[in-house]
Amino acid sequence: MKVEQQQRAITAFQEFLTTPLDSLLQQHINIDASAAALALFHDVAVNVPAYKDFLAQHAIAPDEYQTVEDFQRLPELTKQNYLQRYSLTNLCRHGLLETCDTIAVSSGSTGKPTFWPRFFSDEMQIATRFEQVFHDSFSADTKPTLAVICFTLGTWVGGMFTANCCRYLASKGYPVTTLTPGNNKEEILRVVQELGSAFEQVVLLGYPPFLKDVIDTGIARGIEWQQYQVKLVMAGEVFSEEWRNLVGDRLGSRNFCYDSASLYGTADAGVLGNETPLSICIRRFLANNPEAARALFGESRLPTLVQYDPISRFFEVKDGALLFSGNNGIPLVRYNILDNGGIVSYDAMLQFLAKWGFAPVTELQRNGGRGIRSLPFVYVFGRSNFTVSYFGANIYPENVTVGLEQAVIREWVTGKFVLQVKEDADKNRYLSVVVELAPGIEESEEKKQAIASSILEQLKRLNSEFANYVPPEYQMPQVSLAPLGDPEYFPVGVKHRYTRN
């Protein structure tokens, strides 16, 4: 047993257990975040073999990079130029994979898994994000709480990571009890009905469309969700405030700013930021004031809006893409995760809203004032690499392409398609694929069914996240067939985009 590893674990756990949330976040607000990012860079440059070689390949001498401006000149990391070029061992500190104690898995565009090692101490800073949500939004420091993990369990990141973090809250003294039914809907409903009344509140943690399905199934079976004071922790999807209203109404939500929270997370580095009562209050105002949203975000669509700890995860924006730096099993410096978005400081956000006649802090203070922290904001439109997110699974155009390349089907289609996640009138999500027919081929119901089945078969074969995250009853894509050159989906002479948001 290595003494250094033991000490890392003891120090991290002790700090988490003994430092009140208010004190920790206030300390981080007062620290120069750019200086912390520079310190991380110098540490990684010395101790991570892959990054040392990466810098050498770019003729970079780390000692010459001492200022914020220097840091901003460092080349960005991507999955292609860094993570896929070096062995997993060399991406870890000291070139030792055994410095990490667990490895999670996420699916790549071809179905080949990507491995993400991490150590116990890496989970402590993520546990603080969960503490923020449970403390600031749910007042779980004073209310006996049943946390029901509805994320997929197994090697995938979400379920086990979330279960661990909820248990760490209990170690810190929170009256939180954790159950792990995973995405087994029947088991979720059973444990809530049998155990929920023993607690003051029940927190369901999972992907938004799956949680909605659980809630709707419960209503159909006569479950009165209101009696359990249900709260939601979500991740992996951008959803509308109309969706929050609909689901909240079905749960009997009393205060939408305090009854749910979404996490901005990634397999690469855990939770990067989280919705807070303040960020939700602001987003709900912007949802009702699209001109203000357009002025703030530069687009009419509403992104996910969260607050983040700049010492835990340091964000930058380059050409509309988010870069972040953070310590983890694989430390990352200026990593481009391919998310489009931006950052707004706390003061700048409040000043902007004041110009539109809105004071969110005053609004929240009427409800007790929890969740007001002067942390910066990051907004996220979603991946820029043409994926769509469905029940937390990243679905790639390449997966669909294979389904269209199968025998017989390839004779009917051009290979072009548009992949979307849509909602029906009851706000249930479904996977839509509009496929362009080849010249001279006519639409038929038989062709639709054959294409849908082929796409589904390949999605399940190639994408383990899809196969394990998406409930079977939501897996079959809804296929529409469009004629060659259809002006809405396949206009002639325009560069084709395979996904739409």
Side-chain angles (χ1 to χ4, degrees):
M1 178 171 59
K2 293 189 176 180
V3 175
E4 180 187 350
Q5 251 177 288
Q6 185 183 57
Q7 193 57 50
R8 281 170 60 202
I10 291 172
T11 300
F13 199 37
Q14 185 174 42
E15 181 180 348
F16 174 74
L17 292 179
T18 61
T19 308
L21 179 66
D22 290 345
S23 299
L24 178 65
L25 293 181
Q26 193 58 50
Q27 288 171 18
H28 285 192
I29 289 168
N30 294 332
I31 295 173
D32 182 351
S34 58
L38 263 172
L40 174 67
F41 158 67
H42 286 291
D43 172 59
V44 176
V46 170
N47 294 310
V48 177
Y51 195 61
K52 189 183 299 185
D53 181 75
F54 178 82
L55 294 177
Q57 295 291 327
H58 287 79
I60 290 173
D63 290 344
E64 296 176 4
Y65 286 69
Q66 298 294 335
T67 67
V68 176
E69 292 73 21
D70 291 336
F71 183 84
Q72 293 170 343
R73 291 190 293 109
L74 290 169
E76 63 188 64
L77 302 180
T78 66
K79 190 170 287 188
Q80 290 72 32
N81 76 3
Y82 187 63
L83 297 175
Q84 294 176 353
R85 283 191 58 202
Y86 296 97
S87 69
L88 199 59
T89 295
N90 283 332
L91 290 166
C92 298
R93 273 194 166 76
H94 313 299
L96 298 171
L97 184 57
E98 61 266 31
T99 59
C100 300
D101 61 12
T102 189
I103 297 176
V105 178
S106 65
S107 294
S109 59
T110 64
K112 181 180 179 181
T114 300
F115 298 107
W116 302 105
R118 66 177 183 269
F119 184 59
F120 174 82
S121 58
D122 300 319
E123 293 187 334
M124 290 300 100
Q125 57 186 326
I126 308 304
T128 299
R129 305 282 74 78
F130 282 88
E131 184 178 9
Q132 253 190 283
V133 170
F134 275 71
H135 181 278
D136 290 357
S137 297
F138 306 153
S139 299
D141 54 321
T142 60
K143 297 179 180 180
T145 300
L146 179 66
V148 183
I149 311 302
C150 306
F151 290 109
T152 305
L153 299 174
T155 58
W156 298 276
V157 172
M160 297 300 293
F161 210 145
T162 301
N164 288 346
C165 289
C166 289
R167 295 186 69 193
Y168 299 147
L169 294 184
S171 298
K172 191 167 183 174
Y174 282 73
V176 173
T177 303
T178 303
L179 272 88
T180 56
N183 61 344
N184 183 327
K185 186 164 61 176
E186 295 300 324
E187 187 68 1
I188 293 167
L189 295 173
R190 186 180 74 83
V191 299
V192 169
Q193 287 179 282
E194 294 192 15
L195 297 172
S197 58
F199 297 83
E200 286 190 34
Q201 60 185 354
V202 173
V203 179
L204 303 179
L205 302 96
Y207 297 113
F210 180 70
L211 292 183
K212 181 180 182 298
D213 184 37
V214 169
I215 293 161
D216 289 348
T217 301
I219 291 172
R221 296 184 185 180
I223 294 177
E224 296 180 0
W225 290 107
Q226 296 87 341
Q227 66 179 304
Y228 302 116
Q229 299 296 308
V230 176
K231 317 296 183 187
L232 303 178
V233 176
M234 299 165 285
E237 306 275 344
V238 179
F239 53 82
S240 66
E241 288 305 312
E242 289 81 2
W243 187 94
R244 198 193 307 264
N245 291 343
L246 184 152
V247 174
D249 287 342
R250 292 179 182 180
L251 290 173
S253 178
R254 296 176 180 175
N255 191 326
F256 292 116
C257 292
Y258 286 90
D259 288 346
S260 67
S262 184
L263 307 175
Y264 171 32
T266 166
D268 314 53
V271 179
L272 305 177
N274 53 278
E275 278 192 328
T276 62
L278 180 59
S279 75
I280 295 172
C281 183
I282 292 169
R283 191 174 190 259
R284 293 177 68 79
F285 168 79
L286 294 170
N288 292 322
N289 294 271
E291 289 301 318
R294 191 174 296 110
L296 181 61
F297 303 126
E299 295 193 31
S300 56
R301 56 181 175 146
L302 196 63
T304 294
L305 179 67
V306 303
Q307 288 183 279
Y308 69 98
D309 178 347
I311 302 303
S312 174
R313 297 292 183 261
F314 181 75
F315 277 101
E316 304 170 82
V317 180
K318 182 181 178 183
D319 300 326
L322 292 170
L323 309 182
F324 73 84
S325 302
N327 205 354
N328 212 42
I330 296 177
L332 297 169
V333 177
R334 307 199 79 220
Y335 181 61
N336 187 342
I337 197 174
L338 300 178
D339 275 340
N340 292 324
I343 52 179
V344 184
S345 71
Y346 177 82
D347 290 339
M349 179 65 83
L350 295 190
Q351 290 168 10
F352 171 85
L353 293 170
K355 293 178 182 177
W356 289 84
F358 183 59
V361 172
T362 302
E363 188 81 14
L364 287 181
Q365 285 172 338
R366 297 193 186 104
N367 294 288
R370 279 204 182 202
I372 302 172
R373 300 190 185 278
S374 52
L375 293 165
F377 296 84
V378 58
Y379 59 90
V380 191
F381 286 113
R383 292 292 168 89
S384 60
N385 61 346
F386 309 125
T387 65
V388 299
S389 183
Y390 186 53
F391 283 83
N394 286 327
I395 301 177
Y396 302 82
E398 293 89 340
N399 302 153
V400 176
T401 296
V402 177
L404 299 179
E405 291 174 343
Q406 301 304 302
V408 181
I409 289 172
R410 61 191 175 205
E411 307 300 325
W412 301 338
V413 302
T414 66
K416 285 186 179 180
F417 59 90
V418 174
L419 179 65
Q420 291 177 275
V421 175
K422 292 184 175 181
E423 287 183 346
D424 62 21
D426 200 38
K427 300 293 184 181
N428 292 308
R429 294 193 172 190
Y430 62 93
L431 194 62
S432 166
V433 186
V434 181
V435 180
E436 186 179 50
L437 289 169
I441 302 298
E442 294 183 0
E443 176 181 348
S444 72
E445 190 61 30
E446 291 75 14
K447 289 186 180 72
K448 284 185 185 179
Q449 294 302 321
I451 291 170
S453 296
S454 181
I455 291 172
L456 175 60
E457 180 181 355
Q458 299 307 319
L459 278 171
K460 292 168 70 174
R461 182 178 70 86
L462 296 170
N463 191 318
S464 63
E465 286 183 353
F466 177 89
N468 289 278
Y469 288 9
V470 183
E473 61 268 35
Y474 288 89
Q475 289 184 352
M476 180 66 77
Q478 294 191 21
V479 170
S480 301
L481 302 179
L484 186 71
D486 180 83
E488 181 179 355
Y489 288 98
F490 309 106
V492 178
V494 177
K495 185 176 180 180
H496 184 62
R497 290 180 64 90
Y498 286 87
T499 61
R500 291 186 183 179
N501 294 318

